[in-house]
Amino acid sequence: MDTSFIARHIAQQLGLSAEAVANTLALLDEGCTIPFISRYRKERTGALDEVQIAAISEASQELRELIKRKETVVKTITAQQKMTPQLQQRIDDCWDATQLEDIYQPFKPRRHTRAQVARQQGLEPLAQLILLQTEPSLERAVRPFLVGDVKTEADALKGAQDIIAEMVSDDERSRQQLRGAYRRTAIITSRVVKARQADDQAAKFSDYFDWHEPLRRCSSHRLLAMRRGEAEGILRLSIDPADDQECIDRLKRQWVRPSRSSRPSQSAQLVAEAVDDAYKRLLKPSIETEFYNQSKADADAEAIRVFATNLRQLLLGAPLGPRRVMAIDPGFRTGCKVVCLDQQGSLLHHEAIFPHPPVNRRMQAMVHVQQMLNDYQIEAVAIGNGTASRETKEFIRDLLPPSVALYIVSEDGASVYSASPVARQEFPDQDVTVRGAVSIGRRLMDPLAELVKIDPKSIGVGQYQHDVDQAKLKQQLDQTVVSCVNLVGVNVNTASSHLLQYVSGLGPALAQNIVDYRRQHGPFTSRSQLTRVPRLGPAAFQQCAAFLRIPGSANPLDNSAVHPERYALVERMAADQHCTVPALMAQKELRARVDISHYVTPQVGLPTLTDIMAELEKPGRDPRQQLEAFEFSSQVHTIDDLEPGMVLPGIVTNITNFGAFVDIGVHHDGLVHISQMANRRIAHPSEVVTLHQHVSVKVVDVDHRRNRIALSIKQVE
């Protein structure tokens, strides 16, 4: 297939320039990564962003898969000696996967069907005769077919009807007609399996025990909830058109010829019966399955999109930066595990304290905490937000000097990390509780660097993440992680191999080679030194170099997002201003005199030059926001303390299609339904809130039996 045709097709599909799409596809085929293309090849792509480039990549993959499918279809039909020039042309002109399958439907190799048996009995000519509906009486026409296993006229007619039913089901127009009815009127129905009505496990699906709504209005979270209930054997789902009889009547108007007399012919009656059978036994189940799968795919795509958006916000959470941190994994009976970390997150000390009942060694714990604060010159304290978090915070707060800030940090996924091979490799001599506390402390210092070590599905910001297509979920989440890592940039001298592997052009093997080289030869002093890393060749260097930062390098551009291939250009700018590169970066008035239009070439345009000037102004700038401390209300500690009408501070912990979950410090997150988010209509909660945003909420309702808290943002004055 001509690549220019693919580019034109994708450009039309996505509403982009054909030249930009063609250049983007060429860069992708050369092995360039999406972050590299979007940042450093703007002239070739017309400044497409990462989302657009990813869409081009996905569309290209889907188109190539469709081309392969077309080759299989042509090969199969040709082998059956049923290919015609007209059919070949239809397949060549078809670029819709569903339409292609409709064209292929009559030629698909089948398992043992009733129609196949009838054809083997030689009844296809009889079926064709009946379809013509011109014979006033079929008695004489049937006689020649009463051979072999066909003993009676009824057997012959039944076999012929089976063939007609399959023809109706395979017919492209029939399928499109029923598909249109489903698209317009399909109703999804959910009912409880009677044997499970009183089951405690079934109670969580009680909203869907007797539920129905138009399929096109069924939100992704409701559909995935019903699908999970079905998978657990609690619910039974069906998708049906609003009026079965109307669909059958439409099919009969297509297949049954109108009679000139008041009474239809025998042939017409047989065809009508075959249409009934085709609809109920073949056509409707096939289209229902198609819509069942398509609705699931659409729901998956929406859930994955929400998950990726949340993950991006989480990964780009505000970092505290390099500080000496005390991190505490709080607990009651087992005590609080305390670790002290240096500015690079290395473990200096760990111990357990027991400031809470039932052990209640509060005075001893106070002494130990004071000693750790002094001995390790602690600058900030991170407390996990799980069990005993509020109590531990109140205990610690009174012991801290004003110079030491206190933060509550999400524990989601910390236990997964602590038992992972990555954690065992980092801390082979420590138990899971120490590793978990270290993870909490490192998350405060740099959420991105720590969270990349955890399977995103375990971080707690998804929506039915275990129910969606796992391959597509992994692809989208990996792409999100890569995007975030390269947006922020990575200090090559402090990054773990797990963080480095997400840098453009690297992977697990090269990331480990960088760490091994750093361990053997000491810190990197320049980007050019990266070329000495084993197996890091020119192609990998081109992709990764600008995303790796080297603070303290003799060349300040090594700690910026300026690509090494443009160093000479920056040096020429500095020479034209009769200054050095460091001076150009340090002095605003020198940069103001640079006319970037003088440096435009066929390879370097204004978009790249604008990026370079922005980077010279703030080299290596971190795009993430500044970290802010947060305090829960001292009025509430448990769900029993809540009363409708209370206005409380909270932190957004998860965002879904139907609302946002907010931690208000009572060990159960409350839900702000989308209808309670703003005094205007919004399409999605992300229009109003972001993950880990500090918000004020009003308590609307408290369901103590199910531990559910209804909150409102729009009711807060």
Side-chain angles (χ1 to χ4, degrees):
M1 176 60 64
D2 183 8
T3 53
S4 63
F5 170 81
I6 292 177
R8 289 195 304 272
H9 186 88
I10 294 173
Q12 185 176 12
Q13 178 185 343
L14 300 178
L16 300 173
S17 156
E19 182 184 4
V21 172
N23 289 340
T24 300
L25 290 173
L27 289 165
L28 290 167
D29 289 341
E30 291 168 15
C32 296
T33 66
I34 292 175
F36 175 82
I37 295 170
S38 66
R39 175 83 194 202
Y40 298 109
R41 291 297 180 265
K42 290 182 176 180
E43 284 72 23
R44 288 187 65 181
T45 68
L48 297 179
D49 61 28
E50 287 191 15
V51 175
Q52 292 168 314
I53 296 169
I56 291 171
S57 177
E58 185 178 342
S60 171
Q61 184 178 345
E62 290 176 356
L63 197 56
R64 288 184 166 96
E65 288 174 358
L66 181 59
I67 291 169
K68 287 182 181 178
R69 180 60 175 163
K70 289 169 75 168
E71 291 170 354
T72 300
V73 168
V74 169
K75 185 177 178 181
T76 304
I77 298 175
T78 303
Q80 296 174 10
Q81 298 183 338
K82 295 179 180 179
M83 182 60 74
T84 64
Q86 295 80 6
L87 183 57
Q88 179 71 62
Q89 190 62 51
R90 286 203 67 203
I91 294 171
D92 290 343
D93 294 341
C94 178
W95 295 103
D96 179 87
T98 301
Q99 185 182 359
L100 178 64
E101 294 305 317
D102 281 351
I103 295 172
Y104 183 41
Q105 182 72 22
F107 307 98
K108 283 183 179 177
R110 303 177 189 278
R111 292 176 294 179
H112 196 66
T113 67
R114 282 161 45 173
Q116 275 185 310
V117 172
R119 288 189 178 98
Q120 291 165 5
Q121 293 171 341
L123 294 173
E124 186 152 21
L126 178 60
Q128 295 289 356
L129 181 66
I130 293 171
L131 261 181
L132 291 174
Q133 301 170 57
T134 56
E135 289 287 326
S137 174
L138 293 172
E139 187 175 347
R140 276 191 304 173
V142 171
R143 284 177 194 160
F145 297 96
L146 301 181
V147 294
D149 292 334
V150 184
K151 305 295 186 185
T152 66
E153 179 181 330
D155 291 340
L157 295 176
K158 185 68 180 71
Q161 283 183 303
D162 287 340
I163 294 172
I164 294 170
E166 189 168 274
M167 292 171 66
V168 171
S169 177
D170 287 348
D171 179 73
E172 186 178 348
R173 183 180 164 196
S174 297
R175 299 181 73 82
Q176 290 285 15
Q177 187 170 278
L178 184 55
R179 194 176 285 123
Y182 263 82
R183 198 174 291 117
R184 292 189 307 272
T185 71
I187 303 293
I188 183 169
T189 302
S190 168
R191 289 194 170 87
V192 66
V193 176
K194 289 185 178 178
R196 302 295 300 272
Q197 280 182 333
D199 193 330
D200 289 340
Q201 185 68 14
K204 61 185 177 182
F205 297 103
S206 58
D207 290 344
Y208 304 108
F209 280 3
D210 185 13
W211 178 272
H212 61 88
E213 67 176 314
L215 180 63
R216 56 191 168 88
R217 294 182 187 166
C218 183
S219 62
S220 66
H221 63 272
R222 285 202 299 275
L223 189 134
L224 290 171
M226 288 186 276
R227 289 284 297 248
R228 180 182 288 180
E230 183 179 49
E232 295 182 13
I234 295 167
L235 303 176
R236 184 175 290 115
L237 304 188
S238 63
I239 301 175
D240 304 284
D243 190 335
D244 283 317
Q245 191 57 51
E246 182 184 348
C247 295
I248 294 172
D249 290 344
R250 283 176 176 270
L251 289 171
K252 286 180 179 177
R253 285 196 290 272
Q254 177 186 341
W255 290 92
V256 181
R257 292 188 175 184
S259 174
R260 294 178 182 176
S261 63
S262 59
R263 185 176 180 182
S265 67
Q266 183 184 5
S267 296
Q269 287 179 320
L270 291 172
V271 173
E273 291 170 4
V275 169
D276 276 325
D277 178 46
Y279 179 80
K280 294 170 184 173
R281 180 171 60 87
L282 301 173
L283 192 51
K284 182 184 175 184
S286 174
I287 301 300
E288 179 179 7
T289 299
E290 183 180 307
F291 272 75
Y292 188 83
N293 293 336
Q294 186 57 53
S295 62
K296 171 64 162 57
D298 292 343
D300 282 2
E302 179 62 16
I304 290 170
R305 186 194 66 77
V306 170
F307 197 160
T309 300
N310 289 352
L311 178 63
R312 184 177 185 84
Q313 293 178 5
L314 186 66
L315 293 175
L316 295 179
L320 178 66
R323 300 284 192 280
R324 299 176 74 88
V325 170
M326 174 188 289
I328 305 174
D329 186 358
F332 289 115
R333 184 180 56 82
T334 57
C336 301
K337 182 62 69 174
V338 185
V339 299
C340 298
L341 311 175
D342 67 12
Q343 292 95 325
Q344 282 72 46
S346 299
L347 178 63
L348 302 174
H349 173 77
H350 69 87
E351 66 176 88
I353 60 174
F354 298 85
H356 312 304
V359 180
N360 209 5
R361 299 176 190 159
R362 193 174 182 87
M363 292 303 298
Q364 183 187 69
M366 292 172 65
V367 172
H368 283 228
V369 168
Q370 290 282 12
Q371 187 172 349
M372 285 185 278
L373 289 170
N374 295 328
D375 290 352
Y376 300 103
Q377 301 173 6
I378 298 301
E379 299 172 90
V381 175
I383 299 176
N385 68 342
T387 303
S389 174
R390 293 287 302 276
E391 293 79 2
T392 303
K393 179 179 180 180
E394 290 171 4
F395 163 72
I396 290 290
R397 183 169 48 198
D398 296 335
L399 305 177
L400 300 181
S403 60
V404 178
L406 178 62
Y407 301 92
I408 300 294
V409 178
S410 171
E411 291 182 6
D412 286 333
S415 60
V416 174
Y417 161 78
S418 64
S420 69
V422 177
R424 289 197 297 271
Q425 183 181 1
E426 285 191 289
F427 302 103
D429 300 325
Q430 306 299 339
D431 64 23
V432 292
T433 60
V434 173
R435 297 171 191 160
V438 170
S439 180
I440 291 169
R442 287 177 171 177
R443 285 191 198 193
L444 176 65
M445 299 165 71
D446 190 340
L448 178 61
E450 191 62 20
L451 290 172
V452 294
K453 302 174 185 176
I454 303 170
D455 181 352
K457 288 187 294 184
S458 303
I459 296 178
V461 294
Q463 173 185 327
Y464 298 101
Q465 58 264 36
H466 298 287
D467 300 322
V468 303
D469 185 309
Q470 295 300 293
K472 290 183 178 179
L473 175 65
K474 185 179 187 307
Q475 179 184 7
Q476 183 64 58
L477 298 187
D478 284 349
Q479 187 174 305
T480 301
V481 174
V482 167
S483 173
C484 293
V485 169
N486 290 283
L487 175 67
V488 172
V490 173
N491 184 337
V492 72
N493 287 323
T494 59
S496 67
S497 63
H498 208 82
L499 179 61
L500 286 168
Q501 75 180 35
Y502 290 104
V503 172
S504 170
L506 302 182
L510 280 178
Q512 189 58 52
N513 288 353
I514 289 174
V515 172
D516 292 342
Y517 184 92
R518 192 173 70 198
R519 189 179 297 121
Q520 293 170 12
H521 301 280
F524 288 89
T525 57
S526 70
R527 276 177 172 161
S528 60
Q529 195 179 351
L530 288 164
T531 58
R532 302 177 195 170
V533 174
R535 304 187 68 180
L536 202 158
F541 178 81
Q542 180 194 55
Q543 297 296 309
C544 75
F547 300 106
L548 297 173
R549 308 282 191 266
I550 304 180
S553 170
N555 187 343
L557 294 177
D558 283 346
N559 194 35
S560 74
V562 176
H563 198 284
E565 65 189 8
R566 303 298 173 219
Y567 282 10
L569 175 61
V570 177
E571 289 164 1
R572 185 152 63 91
M573 287 179 177
D576 290 346
Q577 299 304 318
H578 309 291
C579 68
T580 63
V581 170
L584 183 65
M585 297 173 70
Q587 299 181 42
K588 183 178 179 180
E589 57 274 15
L590 290 174
R591 293 193 304 274
R593 295 206 298 260
V594 175
D595 183 353
I596 59 175
S597 65
H598 292 165
Y599 302 93
V600 173
T601 69
Q603 291 74 37
V604 184
L606 289 176
T608 294
L609 290 165
T610 302
D611 286 348
I612 289 173
M613 295 307 296
E615 197 61 30
L616 294 179
E617 181 182 355
K618 295 181 179 178
R621 65 193 182 283
D622 194 322
R624 295 173 290 184
Q625 295 180 342
Q626 297 241 331
L627 187 65
E628 297 178 1
F630 175 83
E631 288 281 346
F632 288 117
S633 170
S634 58
Q635 292 179 270
V636 298
H637 293 81
T638 71
I639 193 171
D640 294 328
D641 297 328
L642 297 178
E643 295 179 5
M646 282 184 166
V647 175
L648 304 168
I651 300 176
V652 178
T653 58
N654 197 6
I655 301 173
T656 68
N657 280 350
F658 54 86
F661 289 93
V662 176
D663 183 0
I664 54 175
V666 296
H667 307 300
H668 297 284
D669 288 358
L671 172 65
V672 182
H673 189 267
I674 188 170
S675 63
Q676 291 294 320
M677 305 208 75
N679 288 307
R680 58 185 172 86
R681 184 175 179 79
I682 60 172
H684 195 272
S686 58
E687 295 178 30
V688 177
V689 296
T690 57
L691 208 61
H692 287 182
Q693 180 180 341
H694 299 173
V695 294
S696 292
V697 293
K698 185 175 183 178
V699 179
V700 177
D701 186 48
V702 183
D703 183 342
H704 293 277
R705 186 177 66 84
R706 296 192 291 179
N707 288 326
R708 290 187 177 181
I709 306 164
L711 304 172
S712 173
I713 290 176
K714 74 177 186 180
Q715 294 185 31
V716 178
E717 294 183 2

